Each structure stands twice: as structure tokens, then as C-alpha cells.
Amino acid sequence: MGKLWAGRASGAIDEAAEDFNRSIRVDSRMYREDILGSVAHARMLAACGIISPEDGEAIIDGLNAILSDIDEGRLEIDLSAEDIHTFVEQTLTERIGEPGKRLHTARSRNDQVALDIRMYLRGRAEATGELIKKLMLTLSCRAEEAKTMVMPGYTHLQRAQPVTMGHHLMAYAMMLSRDLSRLRDAAGRMAVSPIGCCALAGTTYDTDRHYEAQLLDFGAVAENSLDGVSDRDFCVELGSALALVMTHLSRLSEEIILWSSWEFKFVELAEAYSTGSSIMPQKKNPDMAELIRGKTGRVYGDLFALLTMLKGLPLAYNKDMQEDKELIFDAFDTVDACLTVASPMVGTMTFLPRNMRRAAAAGFINATDLADWLVGRGMPFRTAYKLTGELVAECTRRGVTLEELPLEAYRERSGLFDETLYDAINIDNCLMRRTSYGGPAPESVERQIEYIREIIK
Ligand code: ARG
């Protein structure tokens, strides 16, 4: 395919350099946006009297035919073209002749590509949002099931206080709800049309940027033409929102990996979401979770590369910016792939509540409750804290739990103790009483599930 910029240039460009310069392998996925953007452009040009109504019609019909031919496999995108903009424009001109050559009036590939990416990413952000919602829903359903499955809550990976698997899973649903809102925020700020900024300095034609933006469903137009063609903030913002999605998926994956180990065995992954070892017959490996954790670095890399690509660029367009698409596309592809696997992986894992409870029974996760019981009897918290610490040490010496320590041992240390202390440190009771807003008691987890379901709606 020929070059759009043939005219000034005489000698042929070096073959390797030409390929190096080419972006069609990456940007061909924006063919739909490129064509729809061009349809709107032709409509605007005709409405403003910059091209004739007949030329406008011919261009629009030609573009629509190209779109359906690509969609239906009748037209293959020529990967020897420089980029998707070149391919579409040249195909149009081959098909309809002269009028095709008028399409590029009052625009440049600089505003065209800035428009295409925004349109394309708008769709991607929407689709990723749906996948996030799906995982939020899965987590909520599993949390409903697991809202009474007591397990230790950890700090420093040391058993700390009782929570439930349901409460724990809902923490991830909350993180994802913020991811969803960040993605929507970023998409909202991206909804500004750059088309009509042209190469960098607008145009002398009497165009109507607002009309063209409206045709393409943009609520606003870029206020400054230099900014319009050189702004890639939205790629960074989306990349950052995606990086955080990966952070959350990676933390969840890490926990699933731990939980499915023999050391924990709180969950068992379904066969469909685990693998075996080629040598150790007993192995069931959490490969999907590990891959999600592993791919997190890619998305961070995409974000960092985007930031770095932009930081030294003088205004306005520079070819460095061609790199934006490969990076942000990779970030979206990776996140979507991870979300697609994460939902059913979480949805199909088996809970092993007896193991959770066994872990909850050891580790003195009711020590705070014991101290709180003493506070209820009038002891200052700090004194109760110290006394409980001594009791824990006593239990450790005897190799028993707080529930197993006889009343005499308690009474030796404080006359405040009586039989009712055992009720207070019963793990189930400890959980049921944690009814504070946001806490792990089943009714509180119910409220959290309700909150997430509201967002999904
Ligand atoms: N393929 C280019 C990109 O992705 C399109 C814009 C080309 N503009 C230019 N002045 N060379 O950035």
C-alpha cells in the first residue's frame, strides 16, 4: 500500500525502517472507530459546505461498505499499510475515486488517531467494568454462603481476631467497587472530542467541531488544539485504574494460593482452575491464581511505560505517542483475561469451613474479647490487656486454649472472673457480637452484600 505522505518524499524508505514505523498490527483493531469517525467527519464537512452533499454521500456509503466488508470477512486489512487510517482512506479512494480524496480535508491523522483511541477505549472501559461487576457479584454470592464460616482474621499473617470467609471476600468486593468507579471516572474525563484540532493548529476551514463531537457521542470538545492532539492523560488514568485492578486481583490470588495450600486448606480449587505436576502425582497447583499475580507486573509496566513515554515530549504530536496503543491495549487485554478467569475460579472453589474453624480455635484470636469482657466488669482496658497477655502465656505453657483453661487458673489472677467468661470467649459468640458497622458479624456482612448489589444494579 502507498504512503499517505507521498508527494514531498522522493526516494523509497528503507524496508526495515518502514516496518519499524508501521503501527497497523496494533491499531487495526480500531478499524470500526476509525471508520465511524470518518463517517462523522464527512457528514460535518458536507453540513458545513466544505464538500458537496454528493461527495459526502459517496464517502459515507463507501465507508459503511468498508465497515461491513471487514466485519463480515469480505475485506482483509492489509498489514503492509502504515496504519489503519492509511488503510481505510486508501481503500475508500480505490473504491469510490475522487470523492475519497476529499475525506481528509480539515483533519490530520493526529486528531484522527486521538479520536480513534478515545472511542475505542470508551468501549473497552465499559466492557472491563462489566467484568469487574461480574466478579463483584461472584464474591457477593460466595460471601452470602460463607457469612457464618468463622476463620481467623490476620495481621502480619498472624492470627488476630475472628472474621468469616464471607467478611473476608467482601473486602475484595469493596476494592473492586472502587476500581469500577475509577474506571468510570477516567472514561468520563476522556469523553472530550479532539477531532477538528487537525495537525496541531486547527484549521482555516469553517468546520463545526461541536456538531462532529455530538455525532460521535462526545459531550465536549477539546478546548485547545495543541492539547487535543497531544493529550494522552486518559491512557495514563485508565492504565492506573487497571494497575489497581491488578493489585487487587493479585492480593486475592495470593490469598487463594495460601488458602489452597496444605498449611491452610481453607479452600480447594476446582479441577478446571488448577493443574497437576508433570512429576509429582499428588500436586494440585493454583496456576491460574499464580498467573494473575504474575501478570500484575505487566500492567504496572504498561502504566510506567506510558508515563515515561510522555514525560519528555514537546507539544504537540510526536511519533513516540504511537506506543500508547500497544501499552494500553495490553493493559486492557491482560486485565480482561485475568477477570475472566478470576470470576469462575472464585465461583467454583470449595470452602472447607472445618479447617477454617480449626485455625480459628488455635492462635488465641479471642484474647481481645477476653480483655473486653474484663473491661465490661470495670477493669481499665490497659490492665485487662496485660492480664489477658499473662493468661495467654499461661495457656502456652500448659498447651491449652483460653477456652480450655480452668476457671481456677483465671480466678488465681482476678476475682472478677466467673463461669460466664467462657461464653464471652466462645469463638462463635465473639464473631456474632462483632456487629459494629462494617464488621464481620453475619448481619453486618449482609449489609455489605446489599451495598455491593446496589452498585452492580
Ligand atoms: N500511527 C500513528 C499513531 O498511532 C498515527 C498518527 C500519525 N501521525 C503522524 N503525524 N505521523 O500515532
Side-chain angles (χ1 to χ4, degrees):
M1 222 168 213
K3 279 161 207 68
L4 287 177
W5 35 275
R8 192 264 318 145
S10 42
I13 188 170
D14 172 81
E15 186 52 48
E18 187 175 355
D19 191 53
F20 186 65
N21 193 45
R22 202 171 261 143
S23 59
I24 193 146
R25 281 185 296 267
V26 172
D27 59 33
S28 60
R29 40 163 121 184
M30 304 191 305
Y31 75 85
R32 173 178 314 280
E33 290 74 20
D34 192 74
I35 293 170
L36 295 178
S38 289
V39 167
H41 190 64
R43 188 156 288 150
M44 183 280 291
L45 290 175
C48 294
I50 298 167
I51 59 173
S52 70
E54 299 72 38
D55 283 348
E57 278 313 305
I59 292 172
I60 292 167
D61 291 347
L63 287 168
N64 284 330
I66 292 174
L67 179 57
S68 56
D69 285 353
I70 298 176
D71 274 346
E72 281 148 42
R74 287 187 297 268
L75 174 64
E76 207 175 307
I77 295 174
D78 177 359
L79 296 182
S80 76
E82 185 180 333
D83 53 29
I84 190 64
H85 327 296
T86 308
F87 173 76
V88 172
E89 190 184 329
Q90 290 187 346
T91 307
L92 179 70
T93 302
E94 274 164 27
R95 288 181 171 197
I96 69 167
E98 275 299 300
K101 297 185 184 172
R102 298 189 190 276
L103 170 61
H104 210 56
T105 315
R107 80 169 179 186
S108 147
R109 276 188 298 166
N110 297 348
D111 56 343
Q112 194 180 351
V113 73
L115 174 73
D116 292 3
I117 321 168
R118 285 169 144 109
M119 288 171 66
Y120 177 81
L121 293 180
R122 163 164 84 183
R124 293 299 303 255
E126 181 71 32
T128 304
E130 288 305 311
L131 291 173
I132 292 175
K133 285 204 279 185
K134 198 160 172 216
L135 181 54
M136 286 164 65
L137 183 65
T138 305
L139 287 164
S140 305
C141 293
R142 298 311 312 264
E144 178 75 54
E145 233 178 284
K147 68 182 176 207
T148 57
M149 294 181 191
V150 186
M151 67 177 240
Y154 297 81
T155 63
H156 314 270
L157 202 57
Q158 302 283 321
R159 293 173 193 172
Q161 290 179 343
V163 298
T164 62
M165 180 53 89
H167 188 226
H168 202 114
L169 293 179
M170 286 315 288
Y172 285 99
M174 299 299 162
M175 298 175 216
L176 290 166
S177 74
R178 294 192 295 276
D179 291 332
L180 184 64
S181 113
R182 267 185 287 267
L183 214 49
R184 287 174 174 169
D185 268 5
R189 260 187 302 281
M190 178 172 68
V192 171
S193 166
I195 197 72
C197 291
C198 304
L200 73 163
T203 181
T204 54
Y205 294 100
D206 192 12
T207 54
D208 187 344
R209 288 190 56 207
H210 291 88
Y211 174 61
E212 192 166 349
Q214 190 195 318
L215 291 175
L216 295 167
D217 219 15
F218 281 90
V221 302
E223 295 290 334
N224 176 297
S225 65
L226 290 165
D227 180 48
V229 291
S230 63
D231 166 30
R232 295 293 183 275
D233 292 4
F234 55 93
C235 291
V236 173
E237 282 197 62
L238 289 169
S240 150
L242 294 173
L244 260 176
V245 173
M246 289 308 297
T247 304
H248 297 147
L249 291 183
S250 184
R251 293 182 78 174
L252 175 61
S253 297
E254 167 63 14
E255 302 225 70
I256 289 173
I257 292 161
L258 282 175
W259 291 341
S260 56
S261 73
W262 279 107
E263 281 69 16
F264 283 80
K265 267 290 175 253
F266 291 177
V267 303
E268 171 120 22
L269 288 173
E271 294 293 346
Y273 299 97
S274 46
T275 62
S277 154
S278 59
I279 168 171
M280 297 166 282
Q282 84 285 12
K283 288 295 285 291
K284 188 168 176 191
N285 295 327
D287 288 30
M288 311 307 143
E290 289 170 317
L291 274 170
I292 293 172
R293 191 178 57 185
K295 285 177 187 292
T296 301
R298 280 176 80 102
V299 179
Y300 292 178
D302 292 330
L303 170 61
F304 222 82
L306 279 164
L307 284 165
T308 313
M309 178 272 284
L310 285 170
K311 73 178 266 294
L313 298 186
L315 298 183
Y317 179 84
N318 300 267
K319 192 73 170 201
D320 314 45
M321 289 157 77
Q322 179 163 287
E323 291 288 306
D324 61 354
K325 286 171 283 308
E326 196 165 353
L327 297 167
I328 193 67
F329 293 176
D330 180 70
F332 269 108
D333 292 349
T334 307
V335 167
D336 286 4
C338 291
L339 285 166
T340 301
V341 170
S343 280
M345 176 177 72
V346 170
T348 56
M349 67 190 186
T350 307
F351 295 131
L352 300 169
R354 284 175 49 204
N355 296 341
M356 298 178 204
R357 173 164 292 275
R358 195 171 308 131
F364 305 104
I365 65 174
N366 47 3
T368 316
D369 300 84
L370 180 61
D372 288 341
W373 184 87
L374 286 165
V375 170
R377 300 285 151 128
M379 191 180 277
F381 179 77
R382 206 32 84 203
T383 316
Y385 170 94
K386 182 164 177 289
L387 180 59
T388 306
E390 289 163 14
L391 285 159
V392 166
E394 178 63 29
C395 287
T396 311
R397 268 192 298 280
R398 298 189 189 202
V400 296
T401 65
L402 284 168
E403 300 93 301
E404 291 161 352
L405 192 68
L407 188 57
E408 306 80 73
Y410 280 103
R411 293 196 55 88
E412 256 168 45
R413 288 175 202 269
S414 167
L416 287 177
F417 284 119
D418 61 47
E419 272 297 332
T420 66
L421 84 91
Y422 291 104
D423 253 2
I425 62 172
N426 170 284
I427 298 285
D428 284 306
N429 295 342
C430 294
L431 176 81
M432 292 300 175
R433 278 202 307 268
R434 293 183 179 276
T435 53
S436 61
Y437 198 88
E443 69 205 68
S444 164
V445 171
E446 285 284 5
R447 206 159 40 219
Q448 297 163 37
I449 294 171
E450 207 29 61
Y451 172 85
I452 289 297
R453 293 214 162 121
E454 255 334 284
I455 294 174
I456 296 172
K457 276 210 290 239

